[in-house]
Amino acid sequence: MNRVFKMIPVILFVSGLFLVGRSVFYYSKGIAAKMLLHNAWEETRRTHDKVKPWDWADFHPVGRIEIESIGLDHVVLDNVSGEALAFGPGHLSNTAKPGLNGNVVVAGHRDSYFRKLKKIKKNDLIKLESASGTSFYIVSECTPASGSDIYWTEETGENVITLITCYPFDHLGPADERFIVRGKRVS
């Protein structure tokens, strides 16, 4: 019995190392992924080619979104697959591409990349870079909506950006509502 008590500190120490090591591994993996995404975006901007951040990725960067007023700055990926959204906001493929005219729709997770949208206000400036240039949008609308309201993704006849994330922001688990940010292009 005395021998078992002597093993407890060793077991606790090894368990602690495992837990800390696992956290460090995932944190490091996230930092590396962000660096690779930024490198792929810079290469995309320079060459106008589709550059994957790593060979097995099922996505590539198509833009970079920045909202300085709320501290949001992310590379935008070309789709909204589960893998892509794990690494950044994604462009809805059936909407206008970044840099083109129409309704550019970008979706992201509320508990990661689009969490800061809860601080956005009307008249905030959205900067959207594409391989062909930079567009600026002024926020005209910030509103919760039903998850079944798909008209936000439809063409509007105007040059706008629509950002979509789940709502409410502090809800745990799947959410039936969406938070919509719409901005009108100014240049």
Side-chain angles (χ1 to χ4, degrees):
M1 190 66 152
N2 193 19
R3 187 174 180 170
V4 171
F5 284 122
K6 288 183 180 180
M7 291 299 295
I8 290 175
V10 172
I11 292 169
L12 290 174
F13 180 74
V14 170
S15 297
L17 281 178
F18 173 76
L19 292 173
V20 169
R22 187 173 172 186
S23 297
V24 168
F25 170 75
Y26 284 115
Y27 185 74
S28 301
K29 187 175 161 184
I31 290 172
K34 188 173 183 177
M35 288 174 33
L36 291 170
L37 282 169
H38 279 279
N39 290 343
W41 169 237
E42 290 304 321
E43 183 72 11
T44 297
R45 280 183 44 195
R46 192 175 61 72
T47 65
H48 295 267
D49 288 334
K50 295 177 182 177
V51 180
K52 290 183 176 185
W54 45 87
D55 290 339
W56 61 91
D58 74 346
F59 54 84
H60 63 273
V62 293
R64 180 174 160 239
I65 187 168
E66 182 180 353
I67 308 172
E68 191 175 313
S69 61
I70 60 172
L72 187 141
D73 184 356
H74 297 296
V75 171
V76 177
L77 306 173
D78 73 314
N79 68 59
V80 292
S81 70
E83 182 183 355
L85 288 181
F87 292 101
H91 169 255
L92 266 63
S93 60
N94 61 336
T95 66
K97 293 186 183 340
L100 298 180
N101 291 332
N103 183 13
V104 179
V105 180
V106 179
H109 287 307
R110 70 165 185 258
D111 54 359
S112 58
Y113 301 101
F114 273 4
R115 183 156 192 78
K116 292 181 179 183
L117 285 183
K118 69 181 176 180
K119 298 179 195 171
I120 201 160
K121 296 179 190 86
K122 269 181 110 173
N123 299 317
D124 281 355
L125 184 68
I126 300 172
K127 176 182 173 184
L128 181 65
E129 293 179 16
S130 69
S132 61
T134 302
S135 299
F136 294 92
Y137 300 84
I138 297 291
V139 174
S140 58
E141 213 170 337
C142 306
T143 185
S146 168
S148 61
D149 290 346
I150 61 168
Y151 67 86
W152 292 101
T153 65
E154 295 171 356
E155 192 49 55
T156 64
E158 297 181 85
N159 298 320
V160 297
I161 189 168
T162 304
L163 308 179
I164 301 174
T165 193
C166 290
Y167 185 81
F169 287 98
D170 298 324
H171 180 76
L172 296 176
D176 294 332
E177 294 182 72
R178 302 292 176 260
F179 187 74
I180 309 296
V181 175
R182 168 114 351 127
K184 293 185 179 182
R185 191 163 74 194
V186 293
S187 68

